[in-house]
Amino acid sequence: MVGSPDGIADNMYSNGAAHNSNGADEKLDELRRLLGKAEGDQLKIVGVGAGAWGSVFAALLQDSYGHFREKVQIRIWRRPGRSVDRSTAEHLFEVINSREDILRRLIRRCAYLKYVEARLGDRILYADEILKDGFCLNMIDTPLCPLKVVTNLQEAVWDADIVVNGLPSTETREVFEEIRRYWKERIMAPIIISLTKGIEAALEPVPHIITPTQMISRATGVPVENILYLGGPNIASEIYNKEYANARICGAEKWRKPLAKFLRQPHFIVWDNSDLVTHEVMGGLKNVYAIGAGMVAALTNESATSKSVYFAHCTSEMIFITHLLAKDPEKLAGPLLADTYVTLLKGRNAWYGQMLAKGQISLDMGDSIKGKGMIQGVSAVGAFYELLSQSCLSVLHPEENKPVAPAELCPILKTLYKILIRSIRSVTWFEPEF
């Protein structure tokens, strides 16, 4: 299923390295033919949302295919107007001056002076402005290649062939409902790849989950077979720095197999899988339990024993929940298990749990944190707990031999709900009810 890992090296804009296409031209042509592109007609790819993973994903595509300007156009949309505060501008200036390749690139582009002025406090930078130079506001320490940034949503998506959803799950529905207005005249539906991890809970007519791909389909009317989910053990900064990683693209066979081949790189192996629901549910669940993993790590001084016990209990809960919510779910193994493991070890949700436990951030700061972006696990805790608390989903308690709501058999989820949603402040916050 993996196929041969066709190599794609950086282009001339990637970290100063020279470009080597290494099969990229053939893969691009193959995808263009599948999408019915005529000679001289650009394949248009746009990322919607410019968080860390969304920006890195667009940068990976730009590095690999951006030099084929006559064949493909790669752009990213983000909202305009988000200013960069003084402390972030100062840190960004330090990052720029620590990297000779980045420094030279900015000087060649006549862009260095504005960072000097921002460092001195004489100028305000904006997130969309620095993204054009390859700096993601949520990942300042990892410079990317320059990106083509669009701040007008209609301009970005109206004729896009492939749309990559990099928005938080809490914003996906709203933005794609707006996008629908721009697609009214379209004859052919676009392909949508969702990177988003998170769910919503719906209680009517019966309790059920709504995943990001379902949100997109309902908001836009795009058929489900044209919407795919890509996830895996992916730490955005590490992937861009060419650390080995893998992912799965899930959805209809017609699109997932050619897209897996198109996205595959020597350091980023993309598998394909048909089980869309399981992977999206697990994608949301891993962020829930990563917050708890961060708390356990902080409160036990990184005790290996404590973390291993937590890992055993949380994966047990994840399997239990997935079997309730998905028909014939895939086993928690391979890339799914790796995705869970790396997220519990490292990532914004684990970081959030650590900072909460250490008292370095507070709940009243909300779930959108400066320099990190949206902490998806917070809303997912509420959604999963609300759904699993419904009495109509009752299961038999293994010891008391009576029906109980599934949430009663998920002590970690229950505890996280008390901490994050009910905001109960007590010394017993972080004691899972195992």
Side-chain angles (χ1 to χ4, degrees):
M1 182 163 58
V2 182
S4 60
D6 301 306
I8 305 174
D10 298 303
N11 71 8
M12 60 187 295
Y13 299 109
S14 171
N15 301 321
H19 167 69
N20 180 358
S21 63
N22 200 14
D25 197 3
E26 291 79 4
K27 291 199 291 185
L28 177 57
D29 285 342
E30 185 176 334
L31 186 61
R32 283 169 50 82
R33 285 192 296 272
L34 187 62
L35 288 166
K37 287 295 174 181
E39 189 71 26
D41 189 9
Q42 281 186 320
L43 173 66
K44 296 185 178 180
I45 303 174
V46 64
V48 174
W53 185 208
S55 296
V56 163
F57 195 83
L60 290 174
L61 292 176
Q62 178 64 33
D63 278 343
S64 299
Y65 299 105
H67 56 287
F68 299 113
R69 294 180 181 86
E70 294 182 359
K71 295 183 178 182
V72 65
Q73 178 191 76
I74 300 164
R75 304 192 295 175
I76 187 168
W77 171 83
R78 71 153 296 134
R79 292 183 178 91
R82 174 75 180 274
S83 60
V84 179
D85 62 56
R86 177 75 180 274
S87 63
T88 303
E90 291 174 348
H91 181 58
L92 178 55
F93 187 72
E94 293 174 359
V95 171
I96 290 169
N97 285 283
S98 69
R99 292 275 301 271
E100 183 178 343
D101 57 331
I102 304 300
L103 183 59
R104 289 182 180 278
R105 187 181 77 194
L106 291 175
I107 291 173
R108 285 197 306 268
R109 292 164 61 93
C110 301
Y112 180 66
L113 181 59
K114 65 185 179 187
Y115 294 98
V116 175
E117 293 173 342
R119 166 66 179 81
L120 296 173
D122 296 335
R123 176 174 179 162
I124 295 176
L125 296 171
Y126 292 91
D128 56 287
E129 176 186 12
I130 66 172
L131 188 60
K132 293 177 182 178
D133 293 326
F135 302 107
C136 172
L137 191 58
N138 294 341
M139 198 175 58
I140 292 296
D141 290 315
T142 305
L144 310 174
C145 63
L147 294 172
K148 297 174 183 176
V149 181
V150 183
T151 56
N152 182 294
L153 185 58
Q154 181 175 5
E155 178 189 346
V157 303
W158 75 275
D159 63 345
D161 299 296
I162 298 175
V163 176
V164 180
N165 175 35
L167 295 163
S169 59
T170 50
E171 298 177 23
T172 293
R173 184 189 303 276
E174 177 186 354
V175 172
F176 276 87
E177 284 176 348
E178 181 178 351
I179 288 174
R180 179 172 191 159
R181 305 204 315 263
Y182 310 137
W183 285 349
K184 288 181 178 179
E185 306 301 322
R186 289 190 70 124
I187 298 174
M188 294 183 61
I191 306 302
I192 301 172
I193 302 172
S194 180
L195 310 177
T196 302
K197 300 170 178 67
I199 68 154
E200 289 181 355
L203 304 182
E204 300 293 341
V206 294
H208 63 283
I209 58 170
I210 305 174
T211 66
T213 60
Q214 292 169 337
M215 295 177 202
I216 293 169
S217 181
R218 295 177 185 184
T220 61
V222 172
V224 173
E225 56 265 27
N226 276 39
I227 307 175
L228 303 100
Y229 166 73
L230 185 138
N234 305 324
I235 302 298
S237 59
E238 293 183 358
I239 290 177
Y240 197 72
N241 287 328
K242 302 265 184 299
E243 294 189 31
Y244 181 83
N246 65 66
R248 282 185 175 182
I249 188 163
C250 306
E253 182 174 349
K254 177 181 178 181
W255 298 118
R256 73 173 191 264
K257 289 187 177 295
L259 284 170
K261 183 177 181 181
F262 179 72
L263 297 173
R264 189 175 298 137
Q265 301 187 23
H267 66 285
F268 184 55
I269 304 303
V270 180
W271 303 51
D272 73 272
N273 190 277
S274 62
D275 193 348
L276 181 65
V277 174
T278 298
H279 284 77
E280 284 198 279
V281 171
M282 285 293 189
L285 277 174
K286 66 168 190 160
N287 288 334
V288 166
Y289 290 97
I291 295 176
M295 293 175 177
V296 169
L299 293 167
T300 64
N301 294 318
E302 301 288 343
S303 162
T305 300
S306 298
K307 290 193 290 186
S308 66
V309 169
Y310 177 83
F311 183 74
H313 281 286
C314 81
T315 51
S316 177
E317 279 192 23
M318 291 176 70
I319 292 168
F320 172 69
I321 293 170
T322 306
H323 278 259
L324 282 173
L325 301 180
K327 183 180 180 181
D328 299 324
E330 187 174 345
K331 294 180 180 179
L332 183 57
L336 271 177
L337 184 60
D339 193 6
T340 300
Y341 183 65
V342 76
T343 304
L344 267 59
L345 281 178
K346 183 177 180 181
R348 73 184 70 180
N349 290 278
W351 172 89
Y352 181 77
Q354 285 185 317
M355 294 301 102
L356 274 180
K358 291 178 179 179
Q360 295 183 18
I361 61 174
S362 60
L363 292 172
D364 57 16
M365 295 172 65
D367 55 4
S368 183
I369 306 297
K370 173 186 171 184
K372 292 291 181 179
M374 183 65 66
I375 308 300
Q376 298 273 28
V378 177
S379 63
V381 166
F384 278 112
Y385 185 83
E386 182 179 11
L387 179 66
L388 298 175
S389 296
Q390 302 304 306
S391 58
C392 60
L393 297 177
S394 293
V395 295
L396 194 65
H397 194 290
E399 296 176 357
E400 300 178 9
N401 199 32
K402 67 177 183 179
V404 295
E408 295 301 313
L409 300 180
C410 300
I412 302 176
L413 176 64
K414 189 176 179 180
T415 302
L416 288 170
Y417 182 80
K418 290 179 180 178
I419 297 168
L420 300 171
I421 309 301
R422 292 183 182 170
S423 303
I424 297 176
R425 308 180 68 85
S426 73
V427 295
T428 59
W429 262 14
F430 309 107
E431 296 178 4
E433 302 168 5
F434 296 144

